[in-house]
Amino acid sequence: MRKMTEGSIARHLLAYALPLILGNFFQLTYNAVDSILIGKFAGEGALAAVSAANPVMTIVILGVSGVSIGASVLMSRFYGAGDEDALRREVATTILFGAAASLLVFAVGLALSPYLLALMSVPPEILSQANTYLRIIFVGFLFTFQYNILAAALRSVGDSRTPVIFLAAASVLNGLLDVLFVALLRWGVAGAGLATVIAEGVSVLLCAVYMRRHVPLLRLELREMRVDRALLSQTVASGSITALQQACQPVGKLLIQRAINAQGISMIAAFNAVSRVDDFACIPEQSISSGMMTCVAQNRGAGQRERVRRTLRTGMTLELFYGVLICAATLLCRTPVMRLFAAQDSERMVQMGVDYLTWMAFFYLLPGMTNGIQGYFRGMGEMKTTLVATAIQISVRTLVVYLLVPAVGLTAAAWACAIGWCCMLVYAFVRYRSVSRAMEM
């Protein structure tokens, strides 16, 4: 466990963010392994089917993680204030709420998946494969919700390392199962989906056993597993707004995917590949943001205003430094990375992806700034601000994609991201001035 209310803020943020970076790399690695193996062994059509299903899957996953983030802010605040009883009641309440919510998501998703894909204008030749993959992934949401909650509880007390270890083990298992199901048995998208679900189940089991055996503060007895209505109200109020904010992005991406789907299979496959690269590139920025959120929340709970301000300054400096590094790395590696996702006859797909990443390399500075300020706002409990900022960003991005991609091509999607991030930063700056003035009162 890590108390962020004392000691070096930079050291706390780095120590917190580095395990998260590794964990998210592992998670995205097994997603990328899915894409690479499907592209190599099942073909471009199967890769396009996974890409078409991804926005629906991402909406629900980020909605789930939004609730977990809202709960984590409360947990971090209770931990910073030294209120262990409230912390334990919050963890129990969130686990029980998550179990009920995940069952609902599973049932609704399983029934509606073909209709959702039809609304996205998925090409008929890949619709069946996309539906198969999406339905299998919906089974995994039963595990996804619980893992997010348990990981959030550990991170709220400053332990961002342990969930990474379990995610790493699950990632290795996922990769091995991908090789077995997709490369050897040739089960295609169904095999990739099944491998992911099994890996998610293992990560939840490992996390639960560890908390039970090694974290006395979070070791809940059966008699404690009940819903605290007051805390549930706070969790739902905070978590629902964060869930909406988290879901805004993939809803926009779903609309963007619909525009991409109309441009043909090569662009669909290229967009899937560059989206994976975007996800990898933004991991450190998001991890630093998570560290800022926890540090701000703990210090806010402890009443240490100056450390709250210093957390923002230190975090934004780290975000800027990373933005320069990822720009250089993307320019150096864009072509070989695109070839990883492509079959031998997919030169057009490779070129579209390389053109996109050439522009995006310079734009990666912007999400570092947006992620940093979002982490600060979340730690301060300003969930509505993060919702409005994200809605502005994704709305502008989606509009630009629909206007320019049909005429300009995939590079217009990179420019759409940059314009959306700039609009988001303008709004965040205005809101920061209001929030900082209110904190002085």
Side-chain angles (χ1 to χ4, degrees):
M1 295 188 293
R2 175 179 293 273
K3 276 277 190 181
M4 296 184 172
T5 54
E6 54 191 31
S8 168
I9 291 175
R11 189 179 298 113
H12 283 315
L13 291 181
L14 289 173
Y16 188 98
L18 287 174
L20 279 183
I21 292 169
L22 291 174
N24 285 323
F25 271 138
F26 281 127
Q27 189 169 17
L28 286 177
T29 294
Y30 69 60
N31 288 339
V33 166
D34 284 347
S35 294
I36 291 170
L37 289 176
I38 289 170
K40 295 292 186 183
F41 295 100
E44 188 175 88
L47 180 59
V50 172
S51 176
N54 274 337
V56 178
M57 178 177 67
T58 305
I59 287 172
V60 183
I61 289 177
L62 290 183
V64 165
S65 68
V67 173
S68 301
I69 289 171
S72 181
V73 171
L74 291 174
M75 294 175 195
S76 297
R77 193 184 306 166
F78 294 144
Y79 182 64
D83 192 345
E84 295 183 0
D85 178 63
L87 171 60
R88 293 167 67 85
R89 286 187 286 115
E90 173 64 18
V91 173
T93 296
T94 310
I95 288 174
L96 293 173
F97 171 75
S102 61
L103 286 171
L104 178 62
V105 169
F106 165 69
V108 173
L110 211 62
L112 296 184
S113 61
Y115 304 103
L116 293 172
L117 293 170
L119 285 173
M120 293 171 57
S121 300
V122 173
E125 59 266 34
I126 62 172
L127 182 59
S128 177
Q129 291 185 82
N131 186 48
T132 297
Y133 181 78
L134 185 58
R135 280 185 158 171
I136 293 173
I137 292 299
F138 267 119
V139 177
F141 288 141
L142 298 172
F143 306 118
T144 301
F145 212 142
Q146 291 304 316
Y147 173 79
N148 274 273
I149 292 168
L150 297 180
L154 287 170
R155 290 167 185 155
S156 71
V157 298
D159 184 2
S160 60
R161 181 180 63 88
T162 301
V164 170
I165 297 173
F166 302 141
L167 200 56
S171 298
V172 172
L173 175 62
N174 190 97
L176 293 174
L177 292 175
D178 270 328
V179 172
L180 174 62
F181 295 157
V182 179
L184 297 179
L185 297 179
R186 300 300 179 104
W187 288 356
V189 295
L194 182 60
T196 299
V197 170
I198 293 173
E200 288 174 343
V202 169
S203 66
V204 172
L205 179 62
L206 292 173
C207 205
V209 170
Y210 176 84
M211 285 177 59
R212 180 71 183 172
R213 293 182 177 178
H214 300 290
V215 189
L217 179 60
L218 300 176
R219 186 187 301 148
L220 302 178
E221 302 300 331
L222 185 60
R223 58 183 171 78
E224 296 180 281
M225 294 301 294
R226 60 181 184 272
V227 174
D228 184 307
R229 292 186 179 182
L231 288 178
L232 178 60
S233 177
Q234 292 182 57
T235 302
V236 171
S238 175
S240 60
I241 294 174
T242 310
L244 284 173
Q245 182 262 323
Q246 291 286 95
C248 273
Q249 198 77 276
V251 166
K253 287 183 177 180
L254 187 149
L255 296 174
I256 291 169
Q257 183 72 58
R258 191 174 188 275
I260 297 294
N261 289 347
Q263 309 306 311
I265 289 178
S266 291
M267 186 176 288
I268 295 174
F271 185 68
N272 177 71
V274 297
S275 294
R276 300 295 190 191
V277 176
D278 288 343
D279 290 341
F280 274 104
C282 291
I283 282 174
E285 298 168 343
Q286 294 163 355
S287 300
I288 294 168
S289 174
S290 294
M292 292 171 67
M293 179 191 76
T294 300
C295 192
V296 168
Q298 284 193 17
N299 282 286
R300 184 183 174 215
Q304 299 196 38
R305 296 180 179 178
E306 180 55 31
R307 284 184 68 84
V308 169
R309 287 187 286 266
R310 285 169 52 201
T311 298
L312 176 61
R313 291 195 297 268
T314 304
M316 295 299 274
T317 300
L318 293 174
E319 296 278 23
L320 181 60
F321 178 74
Y322 170 75
V324 174
L325 292 180
I326 193 60
C327 174
T330 304
L331 290 174
L332 287 173
C333 302
R334 61 192 187 277
T335 300
V337 165
M338 280 304 302
R339 292 198 180 281
L340 277 177
F341 291 91
Q344 292 183 352
D345 59 348
S346 300
E347 284 300 320
R348 183 167 177 264
M349 167 195 162
V350 171
Q351 190 57 53
M352 283 192 291
V354 169
D355 292 342
Y356 173 97
L357 292 174
T358 300
W359 286 106
M360 190 59 79
F362 298 98
F363 298 152
Y364 285 141
L365 289 165
L366 296 171
M369 299 297 100
T370 62
N371 276 298
I373 196 67
Q374 292 281 77
Y376 167 80
F377 283 133
R378 285 173 181 158
M380 290 295 294
E382 288 284 331
M383 304 305 183
K384 289 183 180 178
T385 296
T386 65
L387 171 61
V388 174
T390 302
I392 290 172
Q393 182 267 329
I394 196 61
S395 298
V396 172
R397 178 185 172 189
T398 303
L399 177 62
V400 175
V401 164
Y402 271 86
L403 290 175
L404 296 184
V405 164
V408 177
L410 194 59
T411 54
W415 279 97
C417 289
I419 295 169
W421 286 325
C422 287
C423 293
M424 183 179 184
L425 283 172
V426 171
Y427 171 76
F429 176 73
V430 173
R431 280 296 302 150
Y432 169 71
R433 296 183 65 180
S434 298
V435 172
S436 61
R437 282 197 300 268
M439 189 170 64
E440 295 294 337
M441 297 178 181

